């Protein structure tokens, strides 16, 4: 009881000890909403930024002044220059290290950083900005948002205009002859997890001229499927590894799937690691790669 | 004297198993009615994908679920008799955790999963299960006799150690694919089923049941306590080794293929003794049939509740098993 009476006095004393020498020039702030609708107060010109998602790290490298990127996560591997930055573990999140770096803003993607961790960071004075993407266009919008928040709109727009142009060039020559090929993309071969209808892959493969073989929408973005379900889907193209490797592993463990059209016609391909699932500026590259796979047929 | 009807119960359990098998054959991505199943069973046409799914996927899956349930229930029954303690099950005595560790080692360090034509996970799990059980027995015995308290505590400790080492290996695994395999294997599933892997659990169960037919009387004698059983001329030490080997093999084969599926080994033996008495002559057979039926029902429920891949079967066994187990306990106390 007595302590609670003392507390305001103590606090006042502590506050009085704050250095008063410099006149407190409060930096300009802006109030923004992230893609999850959360309200954040950011510095108008953040000088220290961190991304907790490999895709957003790629976006930062394409848009931000690279000197303002103060760290990377253990999962970041692109562009190669990122490997020189100090590492903050994103899973499990190394809160202490992150706080010690005192970033002005942390960027992340929905689902990669727990909301309660973001709330704790906010209480510690570090705003966490979430992005989410359902379609390729969302990624371009996300790049522009990052540019705007970092005061580098010009750079961002230059990038997204160029990406948009490349996409148009890629998509326009596709002739709509016949049904688009049904493509199943494996996220994991054992157990079988696939890119579901509500992943970015659905839009990427559509732009490339195919279609996601998974037509049902599951609550999970990467649903687990049974072997019977895959057999019934009968995908025409399978993405998950080179034919020879898949033949000796995936199809050896699941011999009944050798009946699928993809196996019968040897339309089984590997994709560049970390390209399909990253909503980064390389998204056009992903569409181009998918288109190349489809053109092989 | 309560009158038991072991023959009738065994018949009822077998009929229930057949019923569940019949129902289970219909659950899957392809719509199949009984006319279609009958047609497939009589004239199997492997070029029809729906028939292929029925024979190559659904049937082995159901059989694996049944075999897993039977093996785990039997393991639990044997362990409870062996240590003369109703708490014992393959999880409490560290056998299952040891088997899990063996399987994890196989999945992480031998991603090809075969060595010289042998399918490794069941063998590694057997070795792990046997190793852990031996360690627990060593901890739990004083001058060649098993002591209940040190044995159970040793089981918990060794189980925790095996689980920790398994988690450490998984955590440090650099290869994302093996990591995923182990994490999801640990949820428990019968998706690995296929005619190629079924011989392992089938062989182990058949050999165990065959041996136990001759040992049923000896097992019942063990319930009198080791000293009295020995005084009656029972080769207690030899019998104990044989049973530990059987339990490790039964548990190992299942854990390697289906993941650590809990609670069957605890609930089903209790139910068996409740229905047939502690020393019934059909106890072992009924325990196996009931365990098989229980896991068949759990798998069916798991796939109906969350299609297509189903809930992890280990969750369903616990969700169904725990309330039932508590009910049994309350009933026994009152």
């Amino acid at each position: 009881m007595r302590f609670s009476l003392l507390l305001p006095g103590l606090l006042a004393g502590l506050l009085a000890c704050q250095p008063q020498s410099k006149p407190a020039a409060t930096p300009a702030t802006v109030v923004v909403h992230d893609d999850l609708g959360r309200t954040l107060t950011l510095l108008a010109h953040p000088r220290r930024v961190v991304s907790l998602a490999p895709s957003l790290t790629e976006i930062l490298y394409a848009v931000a002044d690279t000197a303002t990127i103060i760290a990377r996560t253990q999962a970041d591997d692109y562009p190669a220059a990122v490997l020189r930055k100090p590492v903050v573990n994103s899973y499990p999140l190394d809160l202490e290290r992150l706080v010690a770096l005192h970033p002005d803003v942390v960027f992340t993607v929905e689902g990669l950083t727990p909301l309660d961790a973001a709330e704790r960071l906010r209480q510690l004075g570090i705003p966490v900005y979430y992005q989410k993407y359902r379609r390729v266009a969302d990624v371009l919008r996300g790049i522009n948002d990052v540019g705007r928040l970092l005061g580098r709109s010009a750079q961002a727009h230059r990038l997204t205009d160029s990406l948009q142009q490349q996409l148009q060039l890629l998509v326009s020559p596709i002739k709509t002859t016949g049904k688009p090929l049904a493509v199943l993309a494996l996220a994991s071969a054992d157990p079988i997890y696939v890119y579901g209808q509500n992943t970015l892959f659905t839009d990427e493969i559509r732009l490339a001229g195919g279609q996601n073989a998974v037509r049902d929408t599951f609550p999970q973005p990467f649903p687990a499927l049974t072997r019977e379900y895959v057999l019934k889907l009968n995908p025409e193209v399978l993405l998950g590894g080179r034919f020879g490797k898949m033949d000796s592993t995936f199809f050896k463990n699941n011999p009944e799937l050798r009946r699928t059209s993809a196996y019968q016609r040897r339309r089984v391909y590997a994709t560049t690691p970390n390209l399909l699932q990253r909503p980064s500026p390389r998204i056009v590259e992903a569409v181009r790669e998918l288109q190349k796979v489809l053109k092989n047929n | 004297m309560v009158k038991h009807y072991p023959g009738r119960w065994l018949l009822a359990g077998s009929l229930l198993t057949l019923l569940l098998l019949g129902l289970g054959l219909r659950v899957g991505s392809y719509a199949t009615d009984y006319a279609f199943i009958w047609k497939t069973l009589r004239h199997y046409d492997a070029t029809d994908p729906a028939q292929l799914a029925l024979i190559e996927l659904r049937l082995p899956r159901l059989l694996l679920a049944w075999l897993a349930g039977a093996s785990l229930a039997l393991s639990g029954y044997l362990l409870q008799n062996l240590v003369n303690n109703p708490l014992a099950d393959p999880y409490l005595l560290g056998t299952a955790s040891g088997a899990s560790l063996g399987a994890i080692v196989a999945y992480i360090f031998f991603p090809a999963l075969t060595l010289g034509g042998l399918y490794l996970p069941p063998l590694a799990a057997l070795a792990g299960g046997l190793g852990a059980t031996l360690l627990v027995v060593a901890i739990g015995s004083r001058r060649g006799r098993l002591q209940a308290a040190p044995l159970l505590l040793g089981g918990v400790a060794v189980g925790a150690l095996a689980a920790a080492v398994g988690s450490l290996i998984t955590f440090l695994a650099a290869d994302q694919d093996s990591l995923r395999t182990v994490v999801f294997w640990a949820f428990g599933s019968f998706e690995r089923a296929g005619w190629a892997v079924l011989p392992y659990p089938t062989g182990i169960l058949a050999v165990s049941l065959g041996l136990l037919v001759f040992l049923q009387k000896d097992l019942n004698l063990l319930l009198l306590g080791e000293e009295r059983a020995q005084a009656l001329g029972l080769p207690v030490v030899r019998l104990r080794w044989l049973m530990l080997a059987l339990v490790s093999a039964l548990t190992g084969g299942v854990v390697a293929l289906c993941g650590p599926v809990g609670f069957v080994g605890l609930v089903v033996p209790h139910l068996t003794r409740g229905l047939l008495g502690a020393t019934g002559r059909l106890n072992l057979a009924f325990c196996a049939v009931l365990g098989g039926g229980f896991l068949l029902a759990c798998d069916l429920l798991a796939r109906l509740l969350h299609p297509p891949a189903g809930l992890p079967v280990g969750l369903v066994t616990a969700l169904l098993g725990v309330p039932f187990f508590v009910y049994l306990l309350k009933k026994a106390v009152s």
Side-chain angles (χ1 to χ4, degrees):
Chain A
M1 191 65 175
R2 209 173 303 158
F3 182 74
S4 66
L5 286 172
L6 272 173
L7 199 59
L10 270 174
L11 277 175
L14 275 174
L15 287 173
C17 293
Q18 295 273 319
Q20 295 279 319
S21 50
K22 264 191 282 180
T26 41
T29 57
V30 286
V31 175
V32 296
H33 299 281
D34 69 5
D35 289 3
L36 303 186
R38 299 160 66 252
T39 308
L40 307 169
T41 308
L42 303 186
L43 291 184
H45 297 285
R47 297 301 303 159
R48 301 177 63 81
V49 297
V50 178
S51 141
L52 294 178
S55 59
L56 266 161
T57 303
E58 291 191 27
I59 292 179
L60 287 181
Y61 263 88
V63 171
D65 170 359
T66 51
T68 62
I69 304 169
I70 53 171
R72 69 168 176 111
T73 72
Q74 78 289 351
D76 293 343
D77 56 4
Y78 192 94
V82 76
L83 297 174
R84 288 198 294 270
K85 299 281 182 184
V87 178
V88 175
N89 223 58
S90 66
Y91 187 83
L93 181 58
D94 187 348
L95 266 181
E96 190 172 321
R97 179 117 179 80
L98 190 55
V99 172
L101 287 165
H102 48 89
D104 295 335
V105 57
V106 172
F107 288 102
T108 190
V109 172
E110 178 195 27
L112 279 189
T113 305
L115 281 166
D116 61 336
E119 180 53 26
R120 284 194 64 192
L121 283 168
R122 191 191 62 78
Q123 286 163 1
L124 295 165
I126 299 171
V128 180
Y129 190 97
Y130 281 86
Q131 291 204 328
K132 71 173 179 186
Y133 324 96
R134 291 291 173 269
R135 303 166 68 87
V136 172
D138 296 338
V139 181
L140 301 188
R141 177 190 47 74
I143 293 173
N144 285 335
D145 286 349
V146 170
R148 186 168 40 78
L149 295 171
L150 298 182
R152 293 179 66 96
S153 280
Q155 286 87 342
H157 279 290
R158 212 174 304 135
L159 173 65
T160 52
D161 287 349
S162 152
L163 290 175
Q164 190 69 54
Q165 207 175 1
Q166 291 177 53
L167 258 183
Q168 265 157 9
L169 283 174
L170 271 179
V171 174
S172 58
I174 298 172
K175 293 173 206 80
T176 47
T177 48
K179 206 170 130 276
L181 288 174
V183 184
L184 184 69
L186 293 177
S188 153
D190 178 22
I192 302 175
Y193 276 73
V194 301
Y195 284 74
Q197 185 61 220
N198 44 355
T199 56
L200 200 58
F201 171 74
T202 303
D203 202 35
E204 289 173 343
I205 194 71
R206 181 185 65 80
L207 289 168
Q211 61 171 334
N212 192 344
V214 183
R215 311 295 295 165
D216 295 326
T217 303
F218 295 93
Q220 308 85 356
F222 299 93
L225 297 184
T226 55
R227 294 149 70 179
E228 184 173 334
Y229 193 96
V230 176
L231 184 68
K232 194 177 174 215
L233 275 184
N234 193 21
E236 293 164 290
V237 180
L238 185 76
L239 303 179
R242 284 181 301 101
F243 183 84
K245 187 182 163 233
M246 293 289 278
D247 193 30
S248 62
T249 54
F250 182 73
F251 289 106
K252 188 171 150 242
N253 292 334
N254 311 301
E256 69 288 340
L257 297 183
R258 292 196 162 121
R259 294 296 174 79
T260 54
S261 164
Y263 182 87
Q264 299 273 325
R265 301 187 164 196
R266 297 176 72 102
R267 288 170 175 164
V268 179
Y269 306 99
T271 52
T272 305
N274 298 333
L275 185 59
L276 278 192
Q277 74 268 37
R278 273 198 198 167
S280 75
R282 288 190 294 156
I283 194 145
V284 177
E285 215 173 303
V287 174
R288 192 177 292 126
E289 183 167 307
L290 289 173
Q291 204 174 60
K292 225 183 322 178
V293 162
L294 295 178
K295 270 188 186 154
N296 274 344
N297 300 291
Chain B
M1 174 80 187
V2 187
K3 185 111 180 76
H4 299 290
Y5 300 96
R8 287 184 205 177
W9 278 113
L10 188 59
L11 186 67
S14 308
L15 287 177
L16 179 74
T17 297
L18 286 177
L19 179 75
L20 288 166
L21 273 175
L23 286 174
L25 273 179
R26 287 201 55 180
V27 180
S29 302
Y30 287 100
T32 37
D33 56 18
Y34 285 115
F36 180 81
I37 292 172
W38 182 238
K39 191 183 97 183
T40 306
L41 291 178
R42 288 184 44 183
H43 307 286
Y44 173 46
D45 173 14
T47 57
D48 176 356
Q51 294 201 17
L52 183 79
L54 199 65
I55 297 298
E56 294 290 334
L57 296 173
R58 283 188 209 172
L59 194 55
R61 182 195 180 101
L62 294 169
L63 292 178
L64 181 62
W66 189 87
L67 285 166
S71 302
L72 288 172
L74 207 55
S75 299
Y77 190 92
L78 291 179
L79 280 176
Q80 288 174 13
N81 261 31
L82 184 67
V83 303
N84 209 349
N85 190 308
L87 268 179
D89 89 331
Y91 289 83
L92 204 67
L93 286 188
T95 317
S97 308
S100 292
L101 177 58
I104 289 173
V105 168
Y107 283 122
I108 298 268
F109 295 113
F110 302 92
L113 297 185
T114 45
L115 196 68
L118 285 171
Y119 188 57
L120 276 183
L123 303 176
L126 192 155
L130 195 60
T133 315
L134 289 182
L135 192 57
V136 173
V137 169
I139 294 170
S141 52
R142 298 276 183 281
R143 288 189 293 277
R145 297 210 181 285
L146 290 177
Q147 315 271 322
L151 188 76
L152 293 179
L153 290 173
V156 172
V158 170
L161 182 69
V165 174
S167 300
L168 185 70
I169 293 175
T170 314
F171 184 76
L172 294 178
D175 176 10
Q176 291 289 318
D177 291 333
S178 332
L179 181 72
R180 252 195 312 261
T181 303
V182 168
V183 169
F184 289 96
W185 160 83
F187 281 164
S189 150
F190 301 117
E191 189 62 12
R192 248 169 224 287
W195 294 111
V197 298
L198 281 183
Y200 291 87
T202 313
I204 294 168
L205 185 66
V207 169
S208 308
L209 274 175
L211 275 173
L212 291 169
V213 167
F214 296 103
L215 296 174
Q216 174 108 46
K217 272 200 189 116
D218 298 350
L219 287 181
N220 290 341
L221 278 181
L222 266 185
L223 290 177
L224 297 172
E226 283 194 357
E227 271 176 52
R228 288 180 67 188
Q230 197 146 30
L232 288 168
L234 196 68
V236 170
V237 176
R238 215 188 310 155
L239 185 65
R240 187 203 293 161
W241 284 121
L242 177 66
M243 282 166 64
L244 287 175
L246 286 183
V247 166
S248 304
L250 284 166
T251 309
V254 171
V255 164
L257 293 173
C258 317
V261 181
F263 248 86
V264 189
L266 192 58
V267 176
V268 176
H270 278 274
L271 194 58
T272 302
R273 277 189 294 265
L275 292 173
L276 304 192
T279 55
R281 79 197 141 80
L282 290 179
N283 274 18
L284 288 168
F286 181 71
C287 187
V289 167
L290 194 63
F294 179 67
L295 269 201
L296 265 182
C298 287
D299 181 48
L300 200 59
L301 199 65
R303 285 189 295 150
L304 286 174
L305 287 176
H306 193 257
L311 295 170
V313 74
L315 296 186
V316 183
T317 56
L319 291 176
L320 280 185
V322 173
F324 187 63
F325 188 64
V326 171
Y327 163 75
L328 281 184
L329 282 180
K330 285 282 176 199
K331 216 178 125 194
V333 169
S334 67

